[in-house]
Amino acid sequence: MLFGILGETRAWHDDGAEVPLGGPARRALLALLLTHVGEAVSADRLADAVDPDGTLSAHALQSQVSRLRKALGPGAAIEQAGAGYRIVVPQDDVDACRFERLAQEGRTALRAGDAERAVRLLRDALALWRGPALAGLAESESARPAAARLEERRLGALEDRIEAECLLGGRPGAVPELRELVGRHPLRERLAGLLIRALFAEGGPAAALVAYEETRRHLADELGTDPSPELTALYKELLSADPGPAPTAPPAQLTAFVGRAGEVAEVAGRLRVARLVTLTGPGGVGKTRLSVEVAEAVGTGPGADEVCFVELAPLRDGAGLPQALLSALGLRTTGLSMGDGGQTPVDRLIAALADRMLLLVLDNCEHVVDEIAALAARLLAACPRLRVLTTSREPLGIIGESLWPVRPLDGDAAVRLFAERAVAVRPGFTADPEVVRRICAALDDLPLAIELAAARIRTLDADELAGRLDDRLAVAARGSRGSDERHRTLRSVVAWSWELLSAPEQRAARRFTVFAGGATAEAAMRVCDTDGETLEALVDKSLLEFAGGRYRMLETIGAYGGERLAEAGERDAVRRAHARRFLELARTADPHLRRAEQLEWLPRLTAEHGNLLAALRWAVESPDAETGLELLAAASHYLWIRGISASVAPQAITLLDTMGPVPGGAIGEATGEVVGEATGEVVGGGAAEAPPWGGLGEEYVLCVLLAASGAAGRPAWRRHRAAAGRALAAAWSGARPGRYPVGLFLWMMRNAGEADAQGAFALVSAQRDCPEPWARAAARYVSGFGPLGEGDTTLAEETFGAAARGFRELGDRWGTALALDALAGLAGGRGDHVRAVALTDGALALTEQLGALDDRADLLVNRADHRVGENPDSARADYAEAAALARRAGSTTGLAAALRGLADMALLDGDPAGAERLYEEALEGADPHWVKSVGTRVRTLAGLGRVAEARGDRATARTRYREAAEAAAGTGAETPEALRLLGLPAGVAERVVEAVSPW
């Protein structure tokens, strides 16, 4: 016979037939007996279970027991035991006993790491439940402890099962179940921890942090306690999680660190007190290596900082400094729709680092020391958790700087370094320690000089090496000397080592100096006109390093090699070869960036970003306008996708200035007729002029667009926009499409706020049937905004859908994400929020693959807007994650949009004071002069109006609504229907319109 008390009390014969137990009194009696199988239960407790009112007599209880015996028959024995009764049945015949056994075995398997067996056991255990334990006995004081114990075990088994399933990777839908459980048991910390981990796994730290905060608040409000150590540890883990691209790590070191362990600890300790530490000393003394080791020490262990390492040697001047830092931090200058919200690169740096615990290592600062000093002072003042470690031959000279002079190695450490490096090139090397000491002393104990000399042990004995160095340096063992003399010593050693190279090795080494950020073997062999054997020989002799598939040259050696390149009269020829090589790479990559191979080619171009900039600088300085225009055009799609167009804006501006007067102006040279600025069409008859710059009209357009990507390029944009419009029209008006379809899209985006935006729209949308597939998809995307503006959402959806299909067929994630976002906006506008969320999810997945942090933040805000009505908890989590990502990306406009959403949620939760604070913060970041921020600004001002209304302050509410109407007027949104398209609720949209109506 089988018995069940996990739900309504029931019994079954072995053949499955149910036992007729009779009325509720007998079921209650059986249930309480079954909670203590084989144990005596007192008559008083049994009477309470049968009749909680306490009127049941002993005789009546005995009568109920007798009837229960008769109903059960021989399948169970109910025995009298002292002043009570007990039931004697096998424990596994009772569902509660079987449940507890399986649950315990499942927990044991989980703790032993056998998640698969644990899941199987726990699922079997939980499947036994048919309802609340001891259902029908809720009023019985006797049954309540047993019911509570069983329900507690049930919750524990649920937690064990979910944890085991997550370990197996089979809980993609855990969040809804956990949210429901946490809602019923808000003080249960293990459930909260499981929910937090599931949220983190599905969407990153922001949503998980929201769940932690809700649990912390419940514990404080209900129990007056803090979260447990386990939950607190989980919180710290979330805070340290990286939601975006990792900063550039210090370069990997291939050799052991010798002789400066104490200095590492001292400098790391000094950084805890002084937020700016500068390592000073001559070249080759080991500043860079010491900074790498300090960064490793600061960046590991409990409470470690993030570390970002920025190599500044490739910079020619300080103009590119902010962009170099943005790139090292993995941050974009612009988003998917090209806007920067008026932010300068320094603004974005400050926004990204404002609340971030990070050590910024700036290596080789001496040639841009003034610019570094100004930027470091500004960042440290605005970012209280930031620390900066610089290496330089001279101090920065700003308040708060702590100097650490890096001195040569002490004698014993120098000898150890020489011996270690010598053994690497000549296994089994031994030498008289006095001879080695004499060598190191002759080299002033400078690490780089020692490594160069030790590399010669492959072909020279230590005595012979010492003699040659004595001859070369005209020095015997000596004491410490000044930095200038040490620099001369190092230069002499570099020159001596250089002279020992063969002619092919010298040629390859001096030519290698044109690379910025290193080179692949293929590029080095091409540009240096050498072979792999020669490159390996330079590595063996410590003139080159090889790591991560790339050859690199130390800055000190590179400076010497650059002088030899100039002396050989090869500088221009080799730099030209370098520029042509990377122009070829950019041209090869360009079409792949519009296809599924994006994810393969983007990292290749990113690795060569320094070389692309170096090639562009040479073309501008030469000047070689043709190569410069071609480089900018070929790299334009890469720069746009990466969001770093501003990194080439200075070169684009200079190139435009060196190319001479603007061709044509606004008057067609051939006919004298007025020419439309954005379209190139002749307004009053005649033919449009020939494209400027010969056959490079399209390249000229992209140069103008890239110049305009930085604030300094706006005057150039105003001077060249008309001519560029004609050139673009000429490139895309013939039977054969242009070479760079990205120019069409960028032209539309850049002209969006201009007086002739309609002309740009006409030019781009005219390519809807273009044979070039990417241009065709981009034109359809742009075309969709025409019917949308006219209220024809059906046609708009068809057009955006065609664009999405076109981009998806090509495999272009960027374009697909843009089109999906537009379709999501249409779906949300007609109330289909389920479809809007699904489309936005698709766009999010694509932008995440591309590492577009700020665009992901924008999309999360959009998704949250679609979720507010039906799932406010999910919306709140999306807004919170968007805010975290926007802060990480340094996007003040993205942060403003997220804060506006969180303010809406606070208002929805009945917290007008919290809403007002968030709205005010959002208003500070919503640029009133940038189109993308208008919607945020309108919704924020309207939100402040709602807050004022909630306080009963009608005058302030009307003022805020009027400000919202004025902000919206610039977009043409002046009716309630148009305002609803900007995201305002219907009632609020009407009050905004009323605020500008006559009283």
Side-chain angles (χ1 to χ4, degrees), residues 891-902:
S891 172
T892 55
T893 54
L895 179 58
L899 292 174
R900 184 276 308 160
L902 288 170

PDB file of all heavy atoms in Angstrom, residues 891-902:
ATOM      1  N   SER A 891      29.570  57.246 -22.193  1.00  0.00           N
ATOM      2  CA  SER A 891      28.537  57.880 -23.020  1.00  0.00           C
ATOM      3  C   SER A 891      27.569  58.647 -22.124  1.00  0.00           C
ATOM      4  O   SER A 891      26.685  58.054 -21.499  1.00  0.00           O
ATOM      5  CB  SER A 891      27.785  56.810 -23.827  1.00  0.00           C
ATOM      6  OG  SER A 891      26.680  57.387 -24.487  1.00  0.00           O
ATOM      7  N   THR A 892      27.718  59.963 -22.070  1.00  0.00           N
ATOM      8  CA  THR A 892      26.824  60.755 -21.224  1.00  0.00           C
ATOM      9  C   THR A 892      25.407  60.753 -21.773  1.00  0.00           C
ATOM     10  O   THR A 892      24.440  60.783 -21.000  1.00  0.00           O
ATOM     11  CB  THR A 892      27.325  62.199 -21.109  1.00  0.00           C
ATOM     12  OG1 THR A 892      27.481  62.757 -22.426  1.00  0.00           O
ATOM     13  CG2 THR A 892      28.661  62.263 -20.391  1.00  0.00           C
ATOM     14  N   THR A 893      25.262  60.704 -23.089  1.00  0.00           N
ATOM     15  CA  THR A 893      23.914  60.680 -23.662  1.00  0.00           C
ATOM     16  C   THR A 893      23.230  59.347 -23.402  1.00  0.00           C
ATOM     17  O   THR A 893      22.038  59.294 -23.107  1.00  0.00           O
ATOM     18  CB  THR A 893      23.978  60.950 -25.175  1.00  0.00           C
ATOM     19  OG1 THR A 893      24.879  60.018 -25.785  1.00  0.00           O
ATOM     20  CG2 THR A 893      24.468  62.362 -25.454  1.00  0.00           C
ATOM     21  N   GLY A 894      23.991  58.247 -23.506  1.00  0.00           N
ATOM     22  CA  GLY A 894      23.416  56.947 -23.187  1.00  0.00           C
ATOM     23  C   GLY A 894      23.031  56.848 -21.726  1.00  0.00           C
ATOM     24  O   GLY A 894      21.989  56.288 -21.373  1.00  0.00           O
ATOM     25  N   LEU A 895      23.868  57.414 -20.857  1.00  0.00           N
ATOM     26  CA  LEU A 895      23.551  57.412 -19.433  1.00  0.00           C
ATOM     27  C   LEU A 895      22.308  58.245 -19.160  1.00  0.00           C
ATOM     28  O   LEU A 895      21.462  57.862 -18.340  1.00  0.00           O
ATOM     29  CB  LEU A 895      24.742  57.956 -18.639  1.00  0.00           C
ATOM     30  CG  LEU A 895      24.571  58.040 -17.125  1.00  0.00           C
ATOM     31  CD1 LEU A 895      24.248  56.674 -16.538  1.00  0.00           C
ATOM     32  CD2 LEU A 895      25.816  58.621 -16.482  1.00  0.00           C
ATOM     33  N   ALA A 896      22.170  59.374 -19.852  1.00  0.00           N
ATOM     34  CA  ALA A 896      20.984  60.214 -19.661  1.00  0.00           C
ATOM     35  C   ALA A 896      19.719  59.447 -20.006  1.00  0.00           C
ATOM     36  O   ALA A 896      18.712  59.518 -19.288  1.00  0.00           O
ATOM     37  CB  ALA A 896      21.085  61.483 -20.518  1.00  0.00           C
ATOM     38  N   ALA A 897      19.748  58.696 -21.111  1.00  0.00           N
ATOM     39  CA  ALA A 897      18.567  57.929 -21.503  1.00  0.00           C
ATOM     40  C   ALA A 897      18.231  56.863 -20.463  1.00  0.00           C
ATOM     41  O   ALA A 897      17.062  56.647 -20.127  1.00  0.00           O
ATOM     42  CB  ALA A 897      18.806  57.283 -22.865  1.00  0.00           C
ATOM     43  N   ALA A 898      19.262  56.189 -19.935  1.00  0.00           N
ATOM     44  CA  ALA A 898      19.026  55.152 -18.927  1.00  0.00           C
ATOM     45  C   ALA A 898      18.490  55.752 -17.625  1.00  0.00           C
ATOM     46  O   ALA A 898      17.577  55.199 -16.995  1.00  0.00           O
ATOM     47  CB  ALA A 898      20.317  54.381 -18.665  1.00  0.00           C
ATOM     48  N   LEU A 899      19.037  56.886 -17.216  1.00  0.00           N
ATOM     49  CA  LEU A 899      18.561  57.538 -15.992  1.00  0.00           C
ATOM     50  C   LEU A 899      17.127  58.023 -16.151  1.00  0.00           C
ATOM     51  O   LEU A 899      16.332  57.965 -15.203  1.00  0.00           O
ATOM     52  CB  LEU A 899      19.479  58.716 -15.639  1.00  0.00           C
ATOM     53  CG  LEU A 899      20.902  58.340 -15.195  1.00  0.00           C
ATOM     54  CD1 LEU A 899      21.739  59.599 -15.009  1.00  0.00           C
ATOM     55  CD2 LEU A 899      20.873  57.526 -13.910  1.00  0.00           C
ATOM     56  N   ARG A 900      16.796  58.488 -17.349  1.00  0.00           N
ATOM     57  CA  ARG A 900      15.392  58.877 -17.599  1.00  0.00           C
ATOM     58  C   ARG A 900      14.475  57.690 -17.387  1.00  0.00           C
ATOM     59  O   ARG A 900      13.409  57.799 -16.760  1.00  0.00           O
ATOM     60  CB  ARG A 900      15.264  59.419 -19.034  1.00  0.00           C
ATOM     61  CG  ARG A 900      13.902  59.949 -19.408  1.00  0.00           C
ATOM     62  CD  ARG A 900      12.914  58.886 -19.874  1.00  0.00           C
ATOM     63  NE  ARG A 900      13.474  58.057 -20.922  1.00  0.00           N
ATOM     64  CZ  ARG A 900      13.007  56.863 -21.239  1.00  0.00           C
ATOM     65  NH1 ARG A 900      11.989  56.314 -20.555  1.00  0.00           N
ATOM     66  NH2 ARG A 900      13.558  56.161 -22.212  1.00  0.00           N
ATOM     67  N   GLY A 901      14.898  56.505 -17.874  1.00  0.00           N
ATOM     68  CA  GLY A 901      14.078  55.308 -17.681  1.00  0.00           C
ATOM     69  C   GLY A 901      13.956  54.930 -16.218  1.00  0.00           C
ATOM     70  O   GLY A 901      12.867  54.582 -15.741  1.00  0.00           O
ATOM     71  N   LEU A 902      15.072  54.995 -15.478  1.00  0.00           N
ATOM     72  CA  LEU A 902      15.010  54.681 -14.050  1.00  0.00           C
ATOM     73  C   LEU A 902      14.135  55.685 -13.304  1.00  0.00           C
ATOM     74  O   LEU A 902      13.456  55.336 -12.331  1.00  0.00           O
ATOM     75  CB  LEU A 902      16.426  54.669 -13.466  1.00  0.00           C
ATOM     76  CG  LEU A 902      17.294  53.478 -13.888  1.00  0.00           C
ATOM     77  CD1 LEU A 902      18.746  53.694 -13.467  1.00  0.00           C
ATOM     78  CD2 LEU A 902      16.763  52.176 -13.301  1.00  0.00           C
TER      79      LEU A 902
END
